[in-house]
């Protein structure tokens, strides 16, 4: 199967600090990759580099054989959850349309066809009833459904999800994760899914990209989530404990001023 995304020898530095170094990643059509690691490891920066919003220090990013850049509607993007102004008058159906023309300078032109596409995308994420609601009045779970609809409206070949489960309860985490996986399978799209908690998506994940200390490891969850692999990445002892189908990584965040992580 052909690669749709190729990242070659990618380095990102801010001053003297190396975020990641010589990162190489090939992503196949339909592949689901979880991107995990401590805060500050450059997970979101990786997605921005793919979107053309963050220049690399060196290396390259190619999407469908061409340098990746801004405004490519074949890449769907689900941003991190953020609070929306409750007074914002923008309707949900119009917000979803931004997935088609949000990269175009100025306000998007009215279009019956685009509205129909937006309504179809909302139906696919079971949010048709929200079409004419102001986005500022949506709950966290409703807003994430809308963001998924916005990301899939153009039938993208690649879906980039930047911690789409943050601020959601367990039920909504499962729903949103399943929606993204469903659209991946229906559209044949690849997914890069940034998360602190792989529990809700572990059944969908083909490979894990683990970023730490400017370095990385890539492989299946069983290959990457191992004590020796993560200890080498962090340069200190990391324990990976498995118990009743769950995986607990101990120590990774002790060195980054964060709590331990628990994954399935």
């Amino acid at each position: 199967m052909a690669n749709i995304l190729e990242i070659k020898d990618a380095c990102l530095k801010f001053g003297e600090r190396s975020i990641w170094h010589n990162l190489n990643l090939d992503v196949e059509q339909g592949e689901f990759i979880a991107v995990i690691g401590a805060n500050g490891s450059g997970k979101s920066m990786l997605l921005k580099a793919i979107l053309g919003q963050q220049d690399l220090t060196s290396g390259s990013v190619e999407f469908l054989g061409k340098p990746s850049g801004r405004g490519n509607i074949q890449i769907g993007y689900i941003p991190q959850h953020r609070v929306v102004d409750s007074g914002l008058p923008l309707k949900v159906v119009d917000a979803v349309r931004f997935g088609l023309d949000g990269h175009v300078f100025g306000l998007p032109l009215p279009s019956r066809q685009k509205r129909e596409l937006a309504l179809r995308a909302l139906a696919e994420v079971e949010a048709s009833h929200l079409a004419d609601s102001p986005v500022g009045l949506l709950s966290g779970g409703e807003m994430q459904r809308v963001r998924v609809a916005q990301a899939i409206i153009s039938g993208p070949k690649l879906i980039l999800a930047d911690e789409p489960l943050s601020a959601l309860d367990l039920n909504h985490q499962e729903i949103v994760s399943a929606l993204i996986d469903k659209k991946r399978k229906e559209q044949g799209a690849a997914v890069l899914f940034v998360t602190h908690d792989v529990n809700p998506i572990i059944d969908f994940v083909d490979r894990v990209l683990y970023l730490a200390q400017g370095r990385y490891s890539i492989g299946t969850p069983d290959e990457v989530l191992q004590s020796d692999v993560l200890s080498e990445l962090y340069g200190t002892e990391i324990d990976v404990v498995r118990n009743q189908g769950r995986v607990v990584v101990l120590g990774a965040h002790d060195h980054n001023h964060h709590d331990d992580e628990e994954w399935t």
Side-chain angles (χ1 to χ4, degrees), residues 30-45:
E31 192 172 21
F32 195 121
I33 297 179
V35 183
I36 58 182
N39 284 351
S41 59
K43 302 185 296 296
S44 295
M45 287 295 104

Side-chain angles (χ1 to χ4, degrees), residues 17-29:
R17 185 186 175 210
S18 177
I19 306 302
W20 18 264
H21 180 67
N22 288 346
L23 174 61
N24 289 280
L25 176 66
D26 294 337
V27 181
E28 295 184 350
Q29 179 180 350

Side-chain angles (χ1 to χ4, degrees), residues 11-21 54-57:
C11 298
L12 181 64
K13 291 184 177 181
F14 292 108
E16 295 299 315
R17 185 186 175 210
S18 177
I19 306 302
W20 18 264
H21 180 67
Q54 173 63 57
D55 292 334
L56 297 174
T57 304

Side-chain angles (χ1 to χ4, degrees), residues 185-207:
K185 292 175 178 176
E186 291 178 353
Q187 298 178 353
V191 174
L192 262 64
F193 194 110
V194 171
T195 182
H196 280 294
D197 181 4
V198 81
N199 286 338
I201 63 172
I202 193 65
D203 290 339
F204 314 136
V205 172
D206 296 306
R207 289 192 292 165

